[in-house]
Amino acid sequence: MNKPLGLEATRHTRLPGMRGPLFAVSVGLLILLLIIANFTLNDYYLRLINLVGINIILVVSLNLTNGYTGIFSLGHAGFMAVGAYTTALLTYPLARKPLLFPQMPGWLQQTELPFFISMLIGGLIAVICSFVIGFSVLKLRGHYLAVSTMGFMVIINVLASNLTDITRGKSGISGLPKMSNIWWVYALVAITIYFVWRLLHSSYGRAMLAIREDDLAAEAMGVKVVRHKMLAFAAGAFFAAIGGSLYGHLITSINPSMFSYSMTFNLVLMLVIGGSGTLPGAVLGAILVTLIPELLLNKLERGIELFGFQLPQMYGISQVLMSAALIITIILRPKGLLGK
């Protein structure tokens, strides 16, 4: 039986990638900048840098499903919640667990694991969740698929709000150990980007791109559409859970409202503005949408003096301006700032 022409061609085509010396120089420069930042910046700016890194992980993993495979998923915040709550429960100090979780099951109350192992467990649970819902919803298309994945986020949010014996409901879990630092975050940023880059420059990645362009044509060429969609969905869920774990242990507290519609909207905003379907675009979008509201727009909310005039406080102006930026980007650059 003849092999599909499209997949056979990808095996014999030299794919563009990062050049060794340039990549090594970039990594070395990044490490140097992180060392300088770690010893010179105050806690506020270090926290902001860490938040940028976490958002890069989240947006790059969302790009894997939404940008490269054409699965418009709105359930990323749900996978974040799975990772955040799992890691929080497994890393919470044993001495304080009986006080905060008096009704927690005994085996969980007596369990405390290292941060890295807890993150991996959270990621694996998110992968299991992605398989459970993926086999049903990934057969849908368009807005039906988007609404179905949002339904998963709602389910996770409801469970986190009502399983009070384990999650403390809407009160959330506070007092988490602050494990997320600049080294944890950016080591995982590098791993996430490298994983997605390697996946895209493989036969699986080419199949994902083919599915995005035309899933019926890809299936006719021999691509197993559901299998490749599941791979992208599960990989995105794993790294979303990792990002959620880092986020929870950066803020040192979590609650269900952190992983709801606003989080989903922000991640999609970062991806659309930066450029869906491009790795540099996902990184740029995460950087811009994290830093601009924090460093510039929040000052407008508090009221600033501009050219001798005192502007009044404008609460909520950052959300309005970022939403306007999204509309303008879609009109002028439908594929994003770095989209092709």
Side-chain angles (χ1 to χ4, degrees), residues 256-305:
S257 63
M258 293 167 57
F259 309 103
S260 59
Y261 302 100
S262 59
M263 177 63 74
T264 297
F265 173 77
N266 283 336
L267 295 177
V268 173
L269 177 66
M270 294 175 190
L271 183 57
V272 171
I273 289 180
S276 180
T278 66
L279 197 52
V283 174
L284 178 65
I287 294 172
L288 291 179
V289 181
T290 304
L291 294 182
I292 291 177
E294 185 66 30
L295 298 178
L296 298 177
L297 300 184
N298 284 350
K299 294 182 179 180
L300 291 176
E301 295 190 357
R302 296 191 295 268
I304 61 173
E305 184 175 339

Side-chain angles (χ1 to χ4, degrees), residues 89-327:
L89 293 172
L90 293 178
T91 59
Y92 207 82
L94 289 178
R96 287 188 285 163
K97 267 190 177 180
L99 300 175
L100 199 66
F101 308 98
Q103 303 300 321
M104 178 182 285
W107 65 271
L108 187 55
Q109 200 173 74
Q110 300 300 318
T111 301
E112 181 181 357
L113 297 176
F115 180 56
F116 182 69
I117 295 176
S118 301
M119 276 199 303
L120 290 180
I121 294 174
L124 292 176
I125 293 176
V127 169
I128 293 171
C129 292
S130 72
F131 277 106
V132 170
I133 68 170
F135 282 115
S136 299
V137 304
L138 292 183
K139 297 177 182 178
L140 303 174
R141 297 177 184 175
H143 56 277
Y144 298 105
L145 175 59
V147 172
S148 299
T149 54
M150 181 179 287
F152 167 73
M153 180 197 67
V154 174
I155 291 171
I156 295 297
N157 200 275
V158 170
L159 289 175
S161 299
N162 290 278
L163 294 177
T164 54
D165 291 346
I166 298 176
T167 65
R168 300 190 73 242
K170 294 185 177 180
S171 299
I173 303 174
S174 57
L176 297 177
K178 190 172 182 179
M179 304 299 297
S180 297
N181 55 42
I182 204 167
W183 308 117
W184 271 116
V185 170
Y186 281 89
L188 289 166
V189 167
I191 291 172
T192 304
I193 292 176
Y194 182 74
F195 173 85
V196 172
W197 178 79
R198 288 290 296 176
L199 180 62
L200 292 174
H201 292 84
S202 67
S203 59
Y204 291 101
R206 290 302 189 192
M208 291 175 187
L209 295 176
I211 292 170
R212 180 190 66 184
E213 298 302 325
D214 191 330
D215 55 351
L216 293 178
E219 189 172 18
M221 293 296 292
V223 176
K224 297 187 180 300
V225 173
V226 176
R227 178 188 298 179
H228 286 84
K229 283 186 176 182
M230 277 303 313
L231 173 62
F233 197 54
F238 178 83
F239 286 106
I242 295 296
S245 301
L246 291 170
Y247 185 63
H249 283 77
L250 177 68
I251 306 299
T252 67
S253 65
I254 55 174
N255 61 73
S257 63
M258 293 167 57
F259 309 103
S260 59
Y261 302 100
S262 59
M263 177 63 74
T264 297
F265 173 77
N266 283 336
L267 295 177
V268 173
L269 177 66
M270 294 175 190
L271 183 57
V272 171
I273 289 180
S276 180
T278 66
L279 197 52
V283 174
L284 178 65
I287 294 172
L288 291 179
V289 181
T290 304
L291 294 182
I292 291 177
E294 185 66 30
L295 298 178
L296 298 177
L297 300 184
N298 284 350
K299 294 182 179 180
L300 291 176
E301 295 190 357
R302 296 191 295 268
I304 61 173
E305 184 175 339
L306 186 64
F307 302 115
F309 296 95
Q310 181 64 38
L311 298 179
Q313 294 178 345
M314 296 177 283
Y315 296 111
I317 190 65
S318 60
Q319 287 86 353
V320 172
L321 292 179
M322 293 310 298
S323 300
L326 175 62
I327 295 172

Side-chain angles (χ1 to χ4, degrees), residues 22-34:
L22 179 60
F23 178 72
V25 170
S26 301
V27 172
L29 181 60
L30 175 61
I31 294 174
L32 178 61
L33 291 176
L34 292 177

Side-chain angles (χ1 to χ4, degrees), residues 67-78:
Y68 290 114
T69 316
I71 306 170
F72 192 72
S73 172
L74 295 175
H76 225 53

